[in-house]
Amino acid sequence: MADDLGRRATRHAVVIGGSLAGLLAARVLAEHAEKVTVVERDRLPEGPEARPGVPQGRHLHVLVEGGQRALDELLPGFVDELRELGAPKVGMPEDMVQWQDGTWYRRTAAAVHFYSGPRAQLEWLVRRRVLADPRIELVEGVETVGLTGDSSRVRGVRLRERGAGAGAAADKEARTLAADLVVDASGRSTKASDWLADIGAEAPHEETLDTGLAYATRIHRDPSGGTDTDAIGYYIVPNPSQPYGGVVLPLGDGRHLVTLSGLRGDEPPVEEGAFEEYAKRLPHPVISDWLARAEPESPVYGFRKTANVRRRYDRPGRRPAGFLATGDALCSFNPIYGQGMAVAALDAVALRRALADPRRTPTTRVVQRALLDASRQAWDISAGSDRKMPGATGDAARSGVLDRAVGWYLGRVLGRVGGDPVVGTPFRSAIALTGPMTALFAPSVVRAVLFGRPVEMPAEPPLWRDA
């Protein structure tokens, strides 16, 4: 069979992982394959509930505008449905009290918006829409333990029921599911390197950058009802000289998620009472004061796996046709930047466009490069920011002369983002993955960054919008 992923020769596609990236990939593949099977190790809940296979699922998630547009392209009307379910829409910088780089940001008119409802709610909505397609089958409670085929082509997956045990005895219980295409959407803990090695292929090089960031999250309810501010939430952003972060965002039902973060060796605690005490380390008491009047409604949940990891399937190597990686299995980011869900959707859009592109044959290599390109801007933002943090480790932590020059300029950009819309609007569009980073080098922005007069910033937390 030729290495051509976009033709009817792809009779059966298997997607490993039933989270956002896997479901959206299945949605696209159903346009080309006769059948798509999604293999998921969890038993998926009937409704919008958290599940073990999404270890970060109880923590803060936002859907930035780039992800909104991508989801509406893949699942028309999706954002309207999300809004009807009560997901809060948050405008930046208008709706947030934000501290960054030693100053409070002005609350000028919103340049971009994101949704901050529960991750489980959004995933459930995607799952309901995708699995309504009769061409897509979900196999639950089954884990992938390997691939079939050889170093030239993948021909399927080996599966095992969850709870079957480990080792040679359990391996004998594995069954084979044949496929013309296998897509790895199993997340940042993917075992694809081992699977490829087992069939004689080469694993991709992994670029890593780890700041040691850790965070803890708890749900609270604010009994004041927001009478002391018209802000929807609060955001204190860490930087190289101030490593503590905190964010308060609404869930849409009167509850708020509160996340506190710190670096390696000074992680936020999950013990009762210690969470609120840790908030006092932030450079201003605005979040600590909010916690003092709020009512906790959940345990404290911790999360530690926040490294940026990019698997370079685009580089030369002995890799088989018929195998792709997407979502966090391809490129995972420090979650503090809120890009993961958007990139999962952008990957699926890139998959659709690559498979349908009449100008070139959609080989495995061509499609995989398109998927990597879809995540490139998010990687540049996340890794570029984390590279500056103290104690950052990994091969992607190194910076060259060009990196340092760009970093100097972007530092000047950040100095004006909080008060100057000429700079703030293209910056926020880039962060939201709707505008290119190159817009920050437009002549009007460069003039403002290098020669603009200083903008007066609030001396205290701006609890009310700019008049």
Side-chain angles (χ1 to χ4, degrees):
M1 183 186 300
D3 179 17
D4 182 345
L5 304 181
R7 308 293 183 255
R8 292 297 295 175
T10 304
R11 294 182 297 274
H12 184 209
V14 169
V15 178
I16 304 170
S19 193
L20 288 177
L23 290 168
L24 294 173
R27 166 71 184 88
V28 171
L29 293 173
E31 300 168 359
H32 299 273
E34 296 175 5
K35 179 182 178 181
V36 180
T37 301
V38 178
V39 178
E40 171 53 48
R41 65 197 306 271
D42 279 350
R43 294 283 180 182
L44 297 178
E46 299 254 339
E49 302 162 16
R51 60 187 180 88
V54 185
Q56 198 211 349
R58 298 184 184 275
H59 297 274
L60 182 66
H61 284 77
V62 298
L63 181 64
V64 298
E65 283 190 8
Q68 296 167 38
R69 294 180 185 181
L71 279 163
D72 266 344
E73 181 175 337
L74 296 162
L75 304 169
F78 179 88
V79 173
D80 287 341
E81 291 185 64
L82 186 66
R83 187 164 49 247
E84 289 169 5
L85 287 174
K89 185 178 182 180
V90 182
M92 293 293 287
E94 184 176 13
D95 291 332
M96 296 288 287
V97 173
Q98 181 172 341
W99 184 98
Q100 187 167 354
D101 288 326
T103 188
W104 296 103
Y105 280 20
R106 292 175 56 204
R107 293 178 55 201
T108 53
V112 297
H113 294 82
F114 63 79
Y115 287 89
S116 64
R119 156 70 186 250
Q121 181 185 70
L122 187 145
E123 184 177 307
W124 169 75
L125 183 55
V126 170
R127 186 164 65 241
R128 188 178 66 177
R129 290 281 301 270
V130 170
L131 296 183
D133 189 329
R135 295 167 296 184
I136 301 174
E137 177 188 14
L138 173 67
V139 177
E140 302 175 82
V142 172
E143 59 186 336
T144 302
V145 294
L147 303 171
T148 62
D150 52 37
S151 60
S152 64
R153 170 165 288 279
V154 165
R155 301 190 180 280
V157 293
R158 293 190 299 114
L159 306 177
R160 185 174 65 209
E161 298 293 325
R162 288 291 303 280
D171 191 56
K172 293 178 182 178
E173 300 172 4
R175 60 186 175 89
T176 297
L177 181 62
D180 304 293
L181 172 65
V182 175
V183 177
D184 179 19
S186 59
R188 64 166 58 228
S189 60
T190 176
K191 301 295 191 297
S193 292
D194 295 336
W195 302 336
L196 290 168
D198 288 345
I199 61 171
E202 292 181 49
H205 170 69
E206 292 188 359
E207 293 177 314
T208 62
L209 197 164
D210 187 3
T211 64
L213 179 117
Y215 54 88
T217 298
R218 194 176 201 180
I219 296 175
H220 291 74
R221 189 177 295 274
D222 181 2
S224 73
T227 56
D228 53 351
T229 179
D230 63 0
I232 291 178
Y234 302 87
Y235 189 21
I236 291 180
V237 184
N239 60 47
S241 61
Q242 194 291 113
Y244 300 106
V247 61
V248 179
L249 278 175
L251 286 174
D253 55 1
R255 301 182 303 160
H256 294 73
L257 269 183
V258 182
T259 293
L260 304 177
S261 67
L263 297 183
R264 188 184 295 110
D266 195 10
E267 298 90 348
V270 297
E271 293 79 18
E272 189 74 26
F275 181 80
E276 289 76 10
E277 191 66 25
Y278 191 88
K280 296 178 182 178
R281 303 187 188 191
L282 295 169
H284 191 280
V286 64
I287 290 181
S288 181
D289 291 346
W290 188 94
L291 285 170
R293 66 175 182 267
E295 299 171 354
E297 292 199 353
S298 79
V300 182
Y301 297 97
F303 192 75
R304 301 291 184 264
K305 295 182 179 180
T306 62
N308 302 279
V309 181
R310 181 162 62 171
R311 298 174 175 90
R312 300 303 301 266
Y313 286 96
D314 59 315
R315 292 182 176 175
R318 190 175 65 258
R319 298 194 190 91
F323 180 81
L324 297 170
T326 189
D328 280 357
L330 175 63
C331 191
S332 55
F333 316 94
N334 184 338
I336 197 172
Y337 300 105
Q339 301 164 317
M341 296 194 301
V343 171
L346 290 167
D347 281 357
V349 170
L351 177 63
R352 169 185 271 179
R353 293 175 181 174
L355 293 178
D357 188 349
R359 299 167 300 175
R360 61 179 62 187
T361 300
T363 64
T364 300
R365 185 180 295 275
V366 165
V367 176
Q368 189 66 82
R369 283 178 176 167
L371 291 170
L372 191 73
D373 286 344
S375 63
R376 193 175 305 278
Q377 180 161 312
W379 172 268
D380 289 343
I381 291 169
S382 181
S385 297
D386 279 0
R387 195 175 286 125
K388 305 170 189 173
M389 296 300 288
T393 61
D395 56 357
R398 296 188 295 270
S399 59
V401 174
L402 180 59
D403 293 323
R404 290 191 289 273
V406 172
W408 174 85
Y409 176 77
L410 292 179
R412 302 267 304 191
V413 167
L414 284 172
R416 297 190 68 86
V417 164
D420 186 350
V422 172
V423 181
T425 296
F427 177 82
R428 292 186 177 93
S429 294
I431 297 297
L433 305 178
T434 56
M437 291 292 289
T438 52
L440 296 175
F441 297 89
S444 60
V445 178
V446 172
R447 283 194 300 270
V449 169
L450 299 182
F451 308 112
R453 297 176 60 183
V455 178
E456 185 176 353
M457 306 293 279
E460 295 294 330
L463 298 179
W464 304 95
R465 295 181 180 91
D466 279 15

